[in-house]
Amino acid sequence: MKNSPFQSTNNMIIASLGIVINIALGTLLQIIQIPLLFLDTIGTIFVAVVLGPFAGALTGGLTNIIQGILTNPKDIPFAIVNIVVGLVVGFIAKKYKFNFKVAIITGLIISVVAPLIGTPIAVFISGGATGGGTDIIFAWLLASGHKIFTAAFIPRIAGNLIDKIASCIMVALLIEAIPSNLIPKKASKDA
């Protein structure tokens, strides 16, 4: 446990809050159906920036497992997407200060990585449909002759471009606004 990101109770609380934020914002946005915005990885991104890649991955994975148990078991296989988001963001934040510019670049990277992983899962589990607003685009692309992967991938990447960049920017602004004495040393503004 010497190299564990969860050496302190505060770090465990931060990771737990990340899970709660993911589930609460993800559920809220799913209910109100704002197009191309999900906000279901903000907690993962925040924890990955503050505590590192493995804490972010654990936060992301547990989010989907808990969400799957509470509401929809089909969310559980997508844990791999949230785990990868935590790892990618965490490794980037470990190497670079997570400022506005890095947040945008990170958002762009995970905007492509997340749908590349999530699309095959969605195609396998539900034939590509998600039950969300992007299903209209999916159905139109499928009806216009595109292959199922392409029809499922294009709306996902469009949504992720907006969602993941917005989520990363929100986390960067939050990190900047939080007093540095409240953030573990790894993610302080001087690091």
Side-chain angles (χ1 to χ4, degrees):
M1 291 288 287
K2 194 172 192 178
N3 292 327
S4 171
F6 302 112
Q7 291 179 7
S8 73
T9 303
N10 287 343
N11 289 3
M12 287 188 260
I13 291 170
I14 290 169
S16 299
L17 286 173
I19 294 169
V20 171
I21 289 167
N22 283 344
I23 292 172
L25 287 177
T27 302
L28 177 66
L29 271 284
Q30 191 174 23
I31 290 169
I32 59 177
Q33 293 282 315
I34 296 176
L36 308 177
L37 198 60
F38 317 110
L39 302 182
D40 57 352
T41 57
I42 284 186
T44 302
I45 294 166
F46 180 77
V47 171
V49 170
V50 173
L51 298 178
F54 300 111
L58 186 62
T59 299
L62 286 174
T63 294
N64 284 74
I65 292 168
I66 293 168
Q67 184 77 43
I69 291 168
L70 294 176
T71 60
N72 187 356
K74 289 183 179 182
D75 288 339
I76 294 172
F78 291 96
I80 188 76
V81 177
N82 220 340
I83 289 168
V84 171
V85 166
L87 289 172
V88 169
V89 172
F91 283 121
I92 291 170
K94 199 173 186 177
K95 186 161 176 81
Y96 304 101
K97 181 181 179 197
F98 203 78
N99 57 25
F100 190 78
K101 180 182 170 186
V102 171
I104 291 172
I105 293 167
T106 304
L108 284 168
I109 292 168
I110 61 176
S111 293
V112 174
V113 171
L116 281 173
I117 297 167
T119 300
I121 297 169
V123 169
F124 180 75
I125 290 176
S126 61
T130 62
T134 59
D135 282 351
I136 295 168
I137 300 167
F138 166 72
W140 175 75
L141 289 168
L142 200 57
S144 66
H146 287 84
K147 294 185 183 208
I148 193 165
F149 182 87
T150 305
F153 180 74
I154 290 172
R156 276 181 178 68
I157 199 159
N160 274 279
L161 278 168
I162 293 169
D163 177 66
K164 298 303 185 265
I165 293 170
S167 296
C168 285
I169 289 171
M170 285 186 227
V171 169
L173 293 173
L174 180 63
I175 298 271
E176 193 63 35
I178 294 174
S180 58
N181 65 329
L182 295 179
I183 298 175
K185 288 190 189 284
K186 182 189 295 185
S188 74
K189 294 171 196 162
D190 303 323

